[in-house]
Amino acid sequence: MQETITSTLEAYGDPTGHSAMALYVGVPCGIAVQLVLDGVLSTPGVHAPYSPEVCNILRAKVEEEGLGLTERVL
């Protein structure tokens, strides 16, 4: 059986603080940089977070910051 998984993002900025764009772009980027500095991510070069080794670490850290997607299986 084939499953279709959807991921939905609905985010709003804070009128007195950061925009949704700043949070959902800046925070994951900062997390990735910190993981490189800490030696958790050490493969040289530029990589998209598609492999489970990278994606799972980033997803967990982003969710710790309260950011994430709503996923459903159709």
Side-chain angles (χ1 to χ4, degrees), residues 5-46:
I5 301 172
T6 63
S7 295
T8 305
L9 170 66
E10 185 173 322
Y12 299 95
D14 180 352
T16 61
H18 298 293
S19 68
M21 180 66 86
L23 292 173
Y24 277 85
V25 173
V27 171
C29 183
I31 290 170
V33 169
Q34 190 63 56
L35 291 171
V36 169
L37 292 172
D38 292 344
V40 175
L41 301 178
S42 59
T43 305
V46 178

